[in-house]
Amino acid sequence: MDAHISVQNLHVWYGNLAALTAISVDIPRHGITVIMGPSGCGKTTLLKSFNRFLELNDTTRISGTVAVDGHDVYAPGVDVTAVRKRVGLLAQRPTALPMSIFENVAYGMRIHQPHLDKSALAIQVQHYLEVAGLWHEVAQRLDAPATALSIGQQQRLCLARGLAVEPEIILGDEPTSALDPISSRHIEQKLLELKQRYTTVIVTHTLRQAKRLADYVIFMYLGEIVEAGPAQQLFTNPQQERTKEYLAGVF
Amino acid sequence: MQRPTLTRRNLGEMVMKRIMQGALVLVMSTLGLIVWTIISRGLPSLTWEMVSQTPKGGFYMGKGGGVLNAILGSIYIGLGSTMLALIVSLPIALALNTYVQQTRWQERIRLMLDVLWGIPSIVYGAFGFTVMLTFGLRASLLAGIVIVALVILPIMIRAMDEVLRRMPTDLTHAALALGTTRFEVARHVVLRQMLPGLVTAILLAFGRGIGDAASVLFTAGYTDRMPTSLFSPTATLPLAVLFQLSTPFEAVRERGYASAFILTILVLVVSIGARWLSHALSRYTIK
Amino acid sequence: MGIFEIRSDAGRDTRPASARHRQDAIAQRWSLRITFIPLIVLGFVAIALIVRAWPILQTYPLIALLFGTVWKPSAGQFGLWPFITGTLWVTSVGVILAVPPSILTAIYISEYAQTRTRLIIKPILDVLAAIPPVVYGVWGLLAVVPFVESVLVPGLSGALGFLPLFASNQPTGFSVLAGGIVLAVMITPLIIAVIYEILHTVPNDLRQASLAVGATRWETIWRVLLPYIMPGIIAAIVLGASRAFGETIAVLMVVGNVPKVPTSLFDTAYPLPALIANNYGEMMSIPLYDAALLMVALVLLVVVFIFNLIAMMILRRFVR
């Protein structure tokens, strides 16, 4: 397997509380990897260890390695902004920045490519809005405040904003949990379209969504990985008791 | 790509962080300098006589005595005005949170209270004095208490209001569901929940009452005698500092610094005490 | 209250329901009224000041009072311009000195400092905000005035004295600058506290949305947080200015109190609050003197009220 992200012996503590214990797992290049498990099992913590969001909380302690293409993102001297440019995040709640629709998409580009001229920027913005399937809805009002969009549109805007800095990896932290069913479908559709080009890692607590999206599954329980493997195999023929119980809806 | 490079962006981050740290150090050291100045100039002149005696004849020319009258006067004014403000503010805060149901009006009244909190105390002082002149009253402890109570009233009401607003209804319901009587709920649950906020508000208002000079300048007046009656003029510590510093005698000014030291310690003790007490009392409250 | 409560209440109160409703209606009406007490007090203050200032407003046109440059009450001249400019100078210098370090410090504490550092610094700032004005005044006398006199006057005025702003026209350190420095230090904890509170109302999602695309913290602050909280920063500055505008005791101890329009940082000043504090209650035999001073109090009240109202209305938008 061609591992895009390789986690080795990762431990995470929040204060004195162990959130992740001895996590070792490989995430394959391209395709959608779904991290699932009951709430509080450490799914989101694992996800946020990939773009170094865990350190935003200063009581967090981390040990172990998370390597993207063989380079540990926690190695000393690594530029955290470069990691985050490479590893995009679609948050749980859609968060439009308090600026226009255009500026939301252009936000990351203005930071990473400050010399991009206005017309090049406009072309890029249109491109990523199209990729996120939002262009036709907002083409006439790019200067409108982004917060005026519906919540489902905002999440697609966030997708466009994330894609605009050209990441290789997209992380999704329950990206549809705040959305209505139709908007959720929309996002899921987009993720399926994009999986040919991006390594996508999604956290979800709904089994059905996991089944719809997953090429590869990581099942977690109480801060540990119980089982990981190709979706087909894990859903039809789980090896561990815990996984069977979870799939059967015992907890 | 993941090499530690000193890009324009990282440099900006570093420089701004240093500038902000510099600002923090500047602010903290300036404030530290104030405390240090007051301690280093006030402490050497501080004697037992200063805090145990009233001014003797010729005190303002360097003769013996102390500022006990002003210390007591300030404490009386602080206590009296805090109590008065408390008595007036409790029903107002309660009414604001129970009967005034339209949030629009609640918000307007809150806005007004916040605006009133900033009115300079010299304005209240001048107002108090002109009213006293109209009715032929002379400066007295009572007048000082009333005017200082007006100064601290808005903050007192707002503090009570915040406490009441944050009172979780679930909590009273939970206690009632356990079979406690309403009196017990009031005594054990509501009071315990309210106490930290209440104590903080009271002590902060008290601190302000002790330290305010502009409002008592005309209303409480000044005297070298101990405060004995509500209706006689009363010395206060801030004014004692001011008057001692305005004399040309070095020895008197030294005692002014010592008086400022006493005032600072008094206010710091109250303020730190408020925080400590509120912290200790809030151990069992629900946030 | 729960359903059981209603029943037990009804059991105890034997009066007819209508009487109890009437009682409730009365309580309702009076409760609404007593919440207006603070406003009524404000009304009283304003009316009393207007009534007592009326004689001078009738004798001289308001323009002549506000812009007159000669203050000689015994000669019937009540020009407030030297005091108004004195207040404006001292307040402006205080605000200009206080704002940059306050904003930077508030951002640092909120966005960069470790939780432990924050838990130490915040209470210290709050406690220092409680120090009485007269203590700041004493510090001003002991530290700021001598510093201005022996360091800033020779230094700044020596080098830049050709500019009117830095000209040295009198030998002491009692000056606009000394007043401004003392005020700056006094309003700094206030401005920091307000900006810090506003930064706290900014949802974390906003910061994370910016960080997630690889922005640095400073870029996040500069491009997202600052535009977002800008009205709040302005409100914080207005609040600080209004506090400085009305501050009496600390300022009057260090500005020299000479009724002359200042033209330089090193000139003396005589701000409006100091005018009241120094003169009210004395020389009451001079006609209109008392009315003039109460008009000054009225000016302070109106200006501070408007400033605070604007600031508080802006801040309301962040709270919800």
Side-chain angles (χ1 to χ4, degrees), chain C residues 91-172:
Chain C
T91 304
S92 317
V93 172
V95 170
I96 289 167
L97 290 177
V99 164
S102 300
I103 295 177
L104 291 168
T105 303
I107 293 175
Y108 185 80
I109 302 173
S110 165
E111 305 298 315
Y112 283 88
Q114 299 270 312
T115 316
R116 213 181 310 133
T117 319
R118 182 162 43 221
L119 287 180
I120 296 168
I121 292 175
K122 261 302 280 171
I124 293 180
L125 282 174
D126 290 345
V127 165
L128 288 171
I131 291 182
V134 72
V135 174
Y136 283 97
V138 171
W139 173 70
L141 271 182
L142 287 173
V144 180
V145 171
F147 178 70
V148 171
E149 193 171 313
S150 60
V151 179
L152 293 182
V153 170
L156 274 177
S157 189
L160 301 163
F162 58 91
L163 295 169
L165 181 66
F166 295 105
S168 171
N169 311 317
Q170 51 108 9
T172 72

Side-chain angles (χ1 to χ4, degrees), chain C residues 212-229:
Chain C
V213 296
T216 62
R217 279 186 188 264
W218 174 249
E219 283 161 349
T220 302
I221 292 164
W222 182 250
R223 289 167 185 264
V224 180
L225 298 190
L226 281 183
Y228 185 76
I229 66 165

Side-chain angles (χ1 to χ4, degrees), chain A residues 87-134:
Chain A
V87 184
L89 173 74
L90 200 52
Q92 191 163 17
R93 275 186 303 269
T95 306
L97 295 170
M99 43 186 88
S100 71
I101 294 169
F102 183 92
E103 286 302 325
N104 258 275
V105 183
Y107 182 75
M109 288 187 276
R110 285 195 192 281
I111 287 173
H112 295 287
Q113 299 154 268
H115 304 299
L116 217 59
D117 65 55
K118 185 83 186 155
S119 60
L121 203 60
I123 292 169
Q124 294 287 309
V125 167
Q126 172 169 1
H127 171 69
Y128 286 108
L129 280 171
E130 280 168 353
V131 172
L134 194 61

Side-chain angles (χ1 to χ4, degrees), chain A residues 107-183:
Chain A
Y107 182 75
M109 288 187 276
R110 285 195 192 281
I111 287 173
H112 295 287
Q113 299 154 268
H115 304 299
L116 217 59
D117 65 55
K118 185 83 186 155
S119 60
L121 203 60
I123 292 169
Q124 294 287 309
V125 167
Q126 172 169 1
H127 171 69
Y128 286 108
L129 280 171
E130 280 168 353
V131 172
L134 194 61
W135 174 251
H136 293 292
E137 292 161 60
V138 299
Q140 302 305 316
R141 47 177 176 139
L142 289 175
D143 290 331
T147 40
L149 295 174
S150 79
I151 205 94
Q153 287 172 323
Q154 283 192 33
Q155 191 65 312
R156 277 178 282 149
L157 183 71
C158 292
L159 184 62
R161 185 178 63 211
L163 293 176
V165 296
E166 297 170 341
E168 302 161 23
I169 297 166
I170 303 171
L171 307 177
D173 179 15
E174 303 192 17
T176 62
S177 63
L179 307 183
D180 61 274
I182 294 169
S183 300

Side-chain angles (χ1 to χ4, degrees), chain B residues 9 13 16 20-21 24 31 34 37 99 110-111 114-115 118 122 129-130 134 182 257 263 267-268, chain C residues 5 24 28 31 52 108 112 127-128 130 134 139 142 185 214 216-219 248 280 294 304 308 316:
Chain B
R9 300 176 53 218
E13 172 80 15
M16 283 317 297
M20 283 187 274
Q21 281 170 338
L24 176 69
L31 291 169
I34 294 174
T37 305
Y99 279 98
R110 287 189 179 121
L111 178 73
D114 288 347
V115 170
I122 186 82
F129 191 56
T130 194
T134 310
R182 263 213 296 192
Y257 306 145
L263 178 61
V267 170
L268 287 186
Chain C
E5 289 307 310
D24 192 54
Q28 164 95 52
S31 291
R52 299 302 297 257
Y108 185 80
Y112 283 88
V127 165
L128 288 171
V134 72
W139 173 70
L142 287 173
V185 174
T216 62
R217 279 186 188 264
W218 174 249
E219 283 161 349
T248 312
Y280 200 34
L294 288 170
V304 169
N308 282 3
R316 279 294 186 280

